Amino acid sequence: MLEVSREKTRTRHFALRTEQAYLHWIRRYVRFHGRKHPRDMGSGEVEARVSAATQNQALQALLFLDRQVLDVNLPWLVNVTRASRPKRLRGVLSPAEVRSLLAQLDGTSWLIANLLYASGLRLMEAVRLRIKDLVIERGEVIVRDAKGGKDRVTVLPSMIIAPLRAHLAKLHVRFEQQRKLGEPGVTLPTAFARKYPNAAVQWGWQYVFPADSLCQDAYTGRPARHHQHEKTVQRAVQLAVHKAGILQPASCHTFRHCFATHLLEAGCDIRTVQELLGHADVRTTMIYTHVLGKRAMGVKSPLDRQL
């Protein structure tokens, strides 16, 4: 059943992370109920398994199992209660706090964090960048196959071009050494890998932030070089937050929130920010105006009025 599920996800060109998440929940669902076949389960079993904060993702996995793998239609499955996600304000640091946080980082983590803040990238978008996606001459970053399977273009700040060029120069030396040793190339999108297998050893397709060691390609099973693991950057940022003495919660994704908010504070058009972030709906971008709104309304506290 799991192999069929894997085949179905790949036939539909699901992202690898979506495939892994679906297989994870299907496996846990079956094990939780003593390896009972899903066809023999009812709404009670499903609700017992998907009633936590991760309910919606788990439920989508079970719907996929029901409709695409087992090819059955269980009407009650659609009516299983979905968890409502609480609405939270975006955590945003001041420009001074961002500078303080970045000052605690170095090396590759510093470069990635600068891209997150200066270009508004998500963490996975940053670590998945390839050499060809950096258009340094035009000051642009091309984000490929982002959330929703869309490409977009965002800004590459001039302040990090020099350290970025130095980083790429070191990578190129290592790349030439790897070619001489006949090491495997990088992982590629599945369809592209079948059509252009030699692209894996071409300079333009190398990751900007490659992993130090080889791994097993999830699709081909052969050794390949993947990008740097995102947890490495997450740990470095969390340590930097502590060193910088920042009290409010902050993570890699906070840099993206800061990018949007600081652009809006500087007077950038909200439609431009929407395009740079890759939001399909401007209402998503408008969430970042919560900081601006407090100031724009000009509300004055009653206590201030008496001073």
Side-chain angles (χ1 to χ4, degrees):
M1 183 171 61
L2 289 176
E3 285 303 316
V4 175
S5 300
R6 181 179 287 107
E7 180 183 345
K8 294 285 187 180
T9 58
R10 295 185 179 181
T11 301
R12 286 161 177 76
H13 303 290
F14 284 7
L16 179 60
R17 296 230 162 184
T18 303
E19 173 189 316
Q20 292 170 340
Y22 278 17
L23 294 180
H24 166 79
W25 283 114
I26 292 170
R27 189 181 294 111
R28 287 189 63 178
Y29 174 58
V30 174
R31 285 178 179 173
F32 183 78
H33 295 292
R35 299 188 182 278
K36 187 178 178 182
H37 199 282
R39 283 196 180 95
D40 302 325
M41 299 185 202
S43 59
E45 284 91 346
V46 175
E47 289 174 341
R49 190 71 208 105
V50 295
S51 58
T54 48
Q55 173 196 340
N56 293 332
Q57 184 189 67
L59 181 56
Q60 283 302 120
L62 298 184
L63 286 170
F64 174 80
L65 173 66
D66 164 34
R67 296 168 177 171
Q68 308 299 335
V69 180
L70 302 179
D71 196 23
V72 295
N73 185 21
L74 304 177
W76 55 263
L77 188 55
V78 182
N79 298 324
V80 172
T81 304
R82 292 177 181 265
S84 57
R85 299 179 63 180
K87 294 182 179 180
R88 306 289 187 192
L89 292 177
R90 299 288 191 260
V92 178
L93 305 178
S94 69
E97 288 176 318
V98 172
R99 288 193 297 271
S100 175
L101 177 52
L102 292 175
Q104 306 303 321
L105 295 164
D106 56 17
T108 303
S109 295
W110 177 88
L111 199 51
I112 293 176
N114 271 274
L115 278 172
L116 299 180
Y117 174 57
S119 305
L121 301 179
R122 299 177 178 91
L123 177 57
M124 292 309 300
E125 293 172 347
V127 297
R128 287 172 178 164
L129 282 176
R130 299 181 189 263
I131 306 296
K132 65 182 183 60
D133 299 329
L134 299 177
V135 190
I136 295 178
E137 295 74 16
R138 294 205 304 261
E140 294 177 349
V141 178
I142 303 175
V143 184
R144 306 284 185 183
D145 197 23
K147 192 173 181 179
K150 299 176 293 185
D151 294 351
R152 75 177 190 278
V153 178
T154 186
V155 60
L156 178 65
S158 58
M159 288 185 63
I160 65 169
I161 286 180
L164 189 57
R165 286 188 186 276
H167 173 75
L168 294 178
K170 292 179 183 178
L171 281 186
H172 196 268
V173 172
R174 190 192 308 176
F175 169 75
E176 293 295 341
Q177 293 173 345
Q178 291 167 351
R179 300 288 67 78
K180 289 178 181 178
L181 294 173
E183 291 188 8
V186 294
T187 54
L188 294 171
T190 50
F192 196 88
R194 289 193 299 268
K195 193 172 182 180
Y196 303 103
N198 292 331
V201 293
Q202 294 176 359
W203 171 240
W205 279 92
Q206 304 306 300
Y207 287 110
V208 177
F209 306 107
D212 292 331
S213 57
L214 299 174
C215 67
Q216 186 181 51
D217 189 294
Y219 292 107
T220 66
R222 295 191 291 268
R225 190 170 300 278
H226 206 42
H227 55 70
Q228 180 173 327
H229 202 287
E230 65 276 12
K231 287 191 180 297
T232 304
V233 188
Q234 290 170 336
R235 293 190 190 103
V237 169
Q238 285 305 305
L239 182 59
V241 170
H242 176 71
K243 287 182 177 180
I246 296 173
L247 300 180
Q248 64 173 303
S251 65
C252 291
H253 206 64
T254 303
F255 287 118
R256 179 172 162 89
H257 298 328
C258 295
F259 167 82
T261 304
H262 295 171
L263 280 181
L264 291 171
E265 285 180 327
C268 187
D269 179 73
I270 193 169
R271 291 287 183 179
T272 302
V273 177
Q274 175 193 359
E275 187 175 340
L276 293 174
L277 291 173
H279 289 160
D281 194 328
V282 72
R283 287 177 295 182
T284 307
T285 316
M286 288 178 66
I287 294 174
Y288 294 102
T289 62
H290 72 272
V291 175
L292 308 177
K294 294 175 184 177
R295 298 173 185 173
M297 287 187 292
V299 175
K300 193 171 184 178
S301 167
L303 181 60
D304 288 336
R305 296 177 187 275
Q306 298 181 29
L307 297 179

